[in-house]
């Protein structure tokens, strides 16, 4: 139904000629708004995750101004509002602890206010899924404008990438191959413009997910934050959201099962972050689209890696944009993509990419010359992870994809940090590092500790990778033969809790197997002797989190947030 045939939602606030209408309009007029903006035009919420504590989103006030210009031009009425923001680099113990809190903030702020359509402004890792989760549970017309990646880092005559080169430099310092002074000099060279991490880390993965789901205008994922075209995109999104309100193009009409399948395939082709899994599962849960862990493997395991970006490749997001960005990838995937899924601009994804041209086939490889034949995310099963675990083969060492070795177990991340460089630690390149207590409930918040550091003495011998297993996540900018998201996690009594140093652990990615070579009898005896860790949080949000968070194979949403409640709020406040 178009808006000529139905009342706008905001008219229940602004369209009344009574006492309540007076209150709703009068206080708004203290901002200098003339009476005619309450004439029945769409009220567009601009949901802004700006914060100086989230440096990746620090330019969002300017971005919001560009959106507002577009909204006014399109005949709408922009209303910017803040939400909590989640800065990946500063927040402790981990931003993932607060993703669901942010989604609640976004959901309730949208629903409680006179808003007909929403523009979401997100950038840093968790801000993107949190906003989509919250908005999806309200289900108004919604479009996202991501903040865009930073320009390429430049250091000593070469490009360096957010995160990926931090991990590399840090290991080089620990191995004595880089001086501390050189390491510290790289700081200002890596992050030299506004924007989020410019590797294909989690932020770029999330922005690409948004574009492949159809929730932003074409090319929205890759335009650098410092490029004026990012502001043109924001302006055009402001214009477009007004049309989306008139068309009643709600999130649930875009977020269909085929759109999720497209996102999984695109994520494989771009070498996206493993964090994609928990976030996409959580978003699907909000809109009631059935999606399981095995869908990621089934749809993504035979996908070629086309995009040559760190950490799986060598280039960065700025290069990706100049090469053509996500539209080129979607076009290259041809029939592997559902081309008739609707997108925010009113056209199908197939129509949006029909004229896409690749300008650099080293950055975006053609289908017949991929960077790697197989990409995607492999879902492992076995007695160590009955509900699954994941690994990103494109970031792993091929020789370790089939490996059996003795476990070196750390009960906590603190123990791991304390002992990893201990010269007396019995560890070799054949060992399998096992870290417990880093899952959703155990930490709590499932931090990005899965790519635990290599033991210093192995680095000094030139060893750069070994098999590592945990119930944690991993930074999207990281790499290595790292098994993540083991479910159930150790803190709830998953089999990971029962592993002991010296146990033989077998990883076989080709066969999707993760097996602990301990007899069922011995495991039963260990289970009988196991007791859960003492609760660490007795009050506050962390306590709520621990009580209600779902396991990684279900996206780590809260059990009571799955699904949506729509937009209606029938009761008045006065
Ligand atoms: Fe914000 Fe990487 S730290 S995107």
């Amino acid at each position: 139904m178009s808006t000529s045939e139905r009342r706008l939602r905001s008219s229940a606030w602004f369209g009344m000629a009574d006492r309540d209408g007076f209150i709703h309009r009068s206080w708004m007029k203290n901002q200098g708004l003339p009476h005619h903006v309450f004439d029945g035009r769409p009220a567009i919420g601009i949901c802004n995750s700006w914060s100086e504590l989230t440096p990746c989103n620090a330019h969002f006030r300017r971005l919001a101004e560009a959106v507002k210009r577009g909204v006014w031009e399109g005949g709408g009425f922009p209303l910017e509002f803040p939400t909590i923001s989640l800065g990946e680099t500063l927040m402790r113990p981990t931003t993932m602890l607060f993703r669901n809190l942010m989604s609640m903030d976004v959901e309730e702020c949208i629903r409680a206010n006179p808003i007909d359509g929403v523009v979401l402004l997100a950038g840093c890792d968790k801000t993107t899924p949190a906003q989509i989760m919250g908005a999806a549970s309200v289900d108004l017309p919604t479009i996202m404008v991501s903040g865009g990646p930073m320009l390429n880092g430049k250091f000593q005559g070469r490009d360096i990438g957010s995160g990926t080169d931090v991990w590399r430099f840090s290991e080089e310092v620990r191995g004595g191959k880089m001086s501390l002074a050189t390491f510290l000099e790289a700081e200002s060279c890596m992050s030299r413009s506004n924007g989020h991490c410019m590797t294909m880390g989690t932020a770029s993965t999330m922005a690409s997910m948004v574009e492949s789901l159809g929730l932003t205008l074409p090319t929205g994922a890759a335009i650098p934050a410092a490029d004026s075209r990012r502001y043109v995109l924001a302006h055009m999104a402001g214009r477009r959201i007004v049309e989306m309100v008139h068309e009643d193009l709600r999130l649930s009409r875009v977020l269909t099962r085929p759109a999720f399948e497209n996102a999984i395939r695109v994520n494989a082709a771009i070498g996206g972050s493993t964090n994609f899994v928990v976030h996409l599962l959580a978003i699907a849960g909000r809109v009631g689209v059935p999606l399981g862990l095995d869908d990621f493997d089934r749809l993504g395991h035979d996908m070629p890696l086309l995009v040559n970006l760190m950490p799986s490749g060598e280039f960065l997001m700025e290069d990706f944009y100049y090469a053509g960005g996500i539209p080129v990838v979607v076009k290259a995937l041809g029939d592997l993509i559902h081309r008739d899924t609707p997108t925010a601009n009113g056209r199908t994804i197939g129509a949006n990419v029909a004229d896409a041209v690749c300008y650099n086939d080293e950055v975006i490889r053609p289908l017949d010359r991929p960077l790697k034949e197989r990409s995607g995310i492999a879902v492992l099963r076995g007695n160590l992870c009955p509900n699954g675990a994941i690994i990103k083969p494109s970031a792993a060492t091929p020789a370790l994809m089939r490996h059996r070795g003795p476990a070196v177990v750390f009960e906590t991340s603190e123990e791991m940090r304390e002992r990893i460089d201990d010269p007396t630690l019995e560890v070799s390149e054949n060992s399998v590092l096992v870290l417990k207590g880093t899952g959703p409930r155990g930490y709590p918040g499932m931090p990005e500790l899965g790519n635990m550091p290599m033991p210093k003495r192995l680095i000094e011998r030139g060893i750069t990778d070994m098999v590592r297993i945990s119930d944690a996540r991993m930074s999207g900018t990281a790499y290595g033969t790292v098994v993540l998201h083991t479910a159930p996690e150790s803190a709830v009594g998953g089999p990971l809790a029962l592993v002991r140093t010296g146990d033989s652990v077998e990883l076989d990615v080709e066969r999707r197997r993760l097996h602990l070579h301990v007899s069922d009898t011995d495991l039963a005896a260990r289970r009988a002797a196991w007791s859960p860790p003492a609760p660490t949080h007795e009050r506050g949000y962390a306590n709520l989190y621990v009580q209600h968070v779902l396991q990684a194979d279900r996206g780590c949403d809260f059990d009571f947030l799955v699904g949506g409640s729509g937009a209606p709020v029938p009761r008045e406040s006065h």
Side-chain angles (χ1 to χ4, degrees), residues 389-508:
I390 63 170
I391 185 168
K392 182 176 174 182
S394 65
T397 301
L400 290 173
M401 301 274 268
R402 189 171 175 198
H403 180 83
R404 181 170 170 172
V408 175
V409 175
F410 306 104
E411 296 294 329
T412 65
S413 59
E414 289 78 15
E415 184 199 340
M416 180 268 291
R417 287 185 206 280
E418 197 178 301
R419 293 181 55 216
I420 194 73
D421 289 339
D422 184 338
T424 65
L425 182 71
E426 289 192 23
V427 65
S428 76
E429 60 266 46
N430 291 322
S431 301
V432 174
L433 302 182
V434 174
L435 176 61
K436 304 179 187 178
T438 51
R441 286 178 67 176
Y443 200 64
M446 204 182 177
E448 293 183 335
L449 290 173
N451 56 313
M452 57 194 107
M454 298 276 297
K456 188 174 173 184
R457 71 171 190 274
L458 294 185
I459 299 175
E460 287 168 348
R461 284 180 39 217
I463 312 293
T464 55
D465 194 12
M466 60 196 298
V467 175
R468 289 161 269 181
I469 301 171
S470 72
D471 41 17
R473 296 177 301 115
M474 172 172 86
S475 166
T477 61
Y479 49 86
T481 310
V482 184
V483 176
L484 304 154
H485 305 198
T486 303
E489 64 173 299
S490 57
V492 300
L496 192 69
L498 310 179
V499 185
R500 293 179 182 171
T501 291
D503 288 347
S504 178
V505 177
E506 181 189 353
L507 168 70
D508 188 337

Side-chain angles (χ1 to χ4, degrees), residues 43-114:
I44 304 299
I46 301 171
C47 179
N48 198 340
S49 56
W50 168 87
S51 168
E52 288 180 343
L53 289 166
T54 306
C56 308
N57 300 14
H59 57 301
F60 279 17
R61 288 194 289 189
R62 190 178 157 212
L63 204 62
E65 291 306 317
V67 175
K68 286 181 197 174
R69 287 199 298 270
V71 172
W72 285 121
E73 188 178 285
F77 168 23
L79 293 163
E80 182 185 355
F81 63 97
T83 66
I84 62 168
S85 191
L86 308 177
E88 198 64 31
T89 50
L90 300 181
M91 288 189 90
R92 293 181 176 177
T94 167
T95 50
M96 186 63 178
L97 179 65
F98 307 110
R99 183 200 65 177
N100 297 347
L101 178 65
M102 183 174 176
S103 81
M104 292 166 76
D105 179 355
V106 170
E107 174 180 347
E108 302 304 338
C109 278
I110 294 173
R111 183 181 296 114
N113 280 297

Side-chain angles (χ1 to χ4, degrees), residues 220-353:
I223 307 171
D227 193 308
S228 56
R229 287 166 286 187
R230 171 65 52 191
Y231 294 89
V232 174
L233 182 104
H235 184 122
M236 298 311 289
R239 270 176 56 142
R240 175 61 193 153
I241 187 64
V242 180
E243 295 173 353
M244 290 171 71
V245 170
H246 290 307
E247 296 163 8
D248 197 24
L249 184 53
R250 285 174 285 118
L251 263 179
S252 57
R253 288 174 57 194
V254 177
L255 291 177
T256 59
R257 166 84 193 189
F260 282 90
E261 293 189 357
N262 285 348
I264 290 173
R265 290 217 148 115
V266 170
N267 189 62
I270 63 176
S273 159
T274 47
N275 287 321
F276 171 79
V277 177
V278 286
H279 298 322
L280 199 74
L281 286 169
I283 294 166
R286 294 299 185 99
V287 288
V289 165
L291 196 72
L293 204 50
D294 291 329
D295 286 320
F296 291 81
D297 204 326
R298 186 176 60 77
L299 293 162
H301 82 277
D302 58 353
M303 293 290 294
L305 178 63
L306 300 184
V307 174
N308 187 6
L309 257 59
M310 295 181 199
S312 298
E314 58 183 305
F315 294 100
L316 295 164
M317 285 297 282
E318 191 181 341
D319 309 304
F320 184 47
Y321 177 55
Y322 302 149
I326 291 292
V328 171
V329 178
V330 173
K331 184 179 181 183
L333 293 179
D335 293 340
L336 292 166
I337 290 292
H338 302 288
R339 311 184 76 72
D340 54 355
T341 55
T343 72
N345 72 350
R347 290 154 44 109
T348 64
I349 197 166
N352 281 342
V353 306

Side-chain angles (χ1 to χ4, degrees), residues 56 88-89 123-125 196-197 203:
C56 308
E88 198 64 31
T89 50
C124 202
D125 296 10
H196 59 68
C197 292

